[in-house]
Amino acid sequence: MTKHYKVTVNGSVYEVTLETDVTPSAAPAPVAAAPAAPAAAAPAGGTQVTSPLPGTVLNVNVSNGQSVKKGELLFVLEAMKMENEVLAPCDGTVASVGTSKGATVEPGTLLCVIQ
C-alpha cells in the first residue's frame, strides 16, 4: 500500500511517499521501551540533582568542591528552544558533577551530587 502526502516544514513543501506491507487485518507489533540508562552512584549521604526533562546542557555553573546555597543556579538546560534553570535543592558542597556543557540529557540523568 502506498500513500502520498504533502508536508510543509518551515515554509518549504515536501512530497512524502509512505509504503507499507501491513495488511488491514494485521495488528502492529508492540514496541518494547528502551531500557533506561543506569544512573551513576551518588556518594553516601549526597543529594542527587537530576535532569527534570530531556534537553541539552547550555551552562554548567558549578564545579567539584564548590559550596552552593539552596536555590542557587546550578545548570541551564535547553528544551524545545526554552532555557530551563536547575537550582540547588539544598545547601552543601558539590561532591561530583555528572555532565558537561553541550551534553544531551534525559529525565532522571544525574547532573551533580551535593553533600
Side-chain angles (χ1 to χ4, degrees):
M1 173 183 284
T2 302
K3 291 190 177 189
H4 299 277
Y5 297 95
K6 284 189 178 181
V7 180
T8 303
V9 178
N10 294 332
S12 298
V13 177
Y14 299 92
E15 290 187 30
V16 179
T17 302
L18 298 177
E19 295 181 16
T20 61
D21 292 332
V22 178
T23 59
S25 61
V31 176
T47 300
Q48 292 187 357
V49 178
T50 59
S51 176
L53 44 82
T56 302
V57 179
L58 290 181
N59 289 318
V60 177
N61 297 333
V62 293
S63 58
N64 290 341
Q66 180 178 336
S67 294
V68 294
K69 297 286 184 188
K70 181 177 181 177
E72 186 175 333
L73 178 63
L74 303 176
F75 301 92
V76 178
L77 304 178
E78 178 191 20
M80 298 188 303
K81 304 212 184 234
M82 293 185 63
E83 292 184 8
N84 301 276
E85 296 179 340
V86 177
L87 307 177
C90 59
D91 292 351
T93 302
V94 177
S96 66
V97 177
T99 191
S100 60
K101 184 176 181 176
T104 300
V105 295
E106 295 297 323
T109 300
L110 182 65
L111 300 176
C112 73
V113 176
I114 300 174
Q115 288 190 321

